[in-house]
Amino acid sequence: MVEERRLIRSVQKSADRDAADTLVRKYYDEIYTYAFRQTADEHTAMDLTQGIFVSMLQTISRYDSKKAGFRTWLYRIATNKIIDHHRSRSAVRSKILDIDGLDIASEDDFTQRLGDEDLAVRIQKHIAEFEPEIQRVFRLKVYAGQTFAEIAADLRLPEATVKTKYYRLIKVLRKEFSDEYYR
């Protein structure tokens, strides 16, 4: 933590490239995984991750450790970039499945995986239609694995409000996808 604060100050004050590189390396895999879980596409996740870190470096001068921890702040940037990505793709949401990369055990397994992937894409589309704050709650809970308390602190909302938003969205998703959800 002390080392991280030193790196942040160094980047803020003198645009220290080595410090910036160390910060990026420290969080790269975690942020990439977060983006990949929401896009299911390596290239898109890499592009988003790069954009997230570019944005982080462009705005790090405004980062205030009194308002949020660095990791929380970085996830806020990531969540906003991912929401923007889904919003920009709302008109055209086609998913190209890389069949070469699949380990196909049987035809039934293959069909199940395609069905699951299609369901995940349709759920992502549906979530992208909700207001950004609800999307943030969902993404931070499901994809980043944050607790309700962490999300509440990040979004500056009461924890009860965060839980209510999350569980209402889950209820809507279960209702909307009930035929496929309860196979």
Side-chain angles (χ1 to χ4, degrees):
M1 206 68 158
V2 173
E3 174 66 13
E4 183 175 275
R5 277 187 243 137
R6 185 191 65 73
L7 291 169
I8 293 166
R9 276 193 304 272
S10 185
V11 174
Q12 288 174 326
K13 290 187 191 313
S14 62
D16 183 337
R17 288 180 184 225
D18 291 334
D21 185 54
T22 302
L23 278 174
V24 170
R25 279 187 280 117
K26 178 177 181 179
Y27 288 100
Y28 187 88
D29 290 342
E30 184 176 345
I31 295 299
Y32 170 80
T33 301
Y34 180 63
F36 180 77
R37 285 179 179 168
Q38 296 180 70
T39 61
D41 181 77
E42 285 180 39
H43 299 291
T44 302
M46 281 191 263
D47 288 346
L48 280 168
T49 302
Q50 180 178 352
I52 290 162
F53 284 109
V54 166
S55 184
M56 180 268 293
L57 291 170
Q58 289 173 338
T59 59
I60 198 164
S61 63
R62 295 190 306 257
Y63 167 70
D64 183 357
S65 63
K66 293 175 185 134
K67 292 182 180 177
F70 183 75
R71 183 175 181 268
T72 300
W73 181 73
L74 185 57
Y75 267 96
R76 189 177 301 142
I77 292 170
T79 300
N80 290 335
K81 287 283 185 191
I82 291 166
I83 288 171
D84 289 347
H85 165 75
H86 285 297
R87 213 182 274 141
S88 71
R89 293 194 53 203
S90 63
V92 181
R93 296 236 180 188
S94 61
K95 172 88 174 86
I96 300 171
L97 183 61
D98 180 10
I99 294 179
D100 294 334
L102 291 176
D103 180 21
I104 303 170
S106 73
E107 188 175 326
D108 292 338
D109 289 345
F110 177 70
T111 341
Q112 179 65 40
R113 285 178 82 172
L114 284 175
D116 291 346
E117 187 135 341
D118 178 57
L119 177 61
V121 168
R122 288 186 295 120
I123 288 172
Q124 284 292 344
K125 265 189 200 177
H126 195 71
I127 290 168
E129 295 171 6
F130 285 88
E131 67 180 72
E133 189 171 83
I134 292 173
Q135 290 183 50
R136 284 184 193 98
V137 168
F138 180 81
R139 293 173 194 290
L140 291 171
K141 180 69 177 158
V142 173
Y143 299 115
Q146 291 187 359
T147 65
F148 288 120
E150 290 171 328
I151 297 168
D154 180 28
L155 299 179
R156 296 188 183 121
L157 294 171
E159 189 173 341
T161 302
V162 170
K163 287 179 181 179
T164 300
K165 288 179 182 292
Y166 177 77
Y167 288 118
R168 279 188 184 155
L169 177 59
I170 296 300
K171 185 178 179 180
V172 168
L173 292 175
R174 281 187 177 145
K175 184 177 180 183
E176 182 70 24
F177 298 97
S178 63
D179 294 344
E180 297 149 272
Y181 184 75
Y182 296 107
R183 282 191 218 187

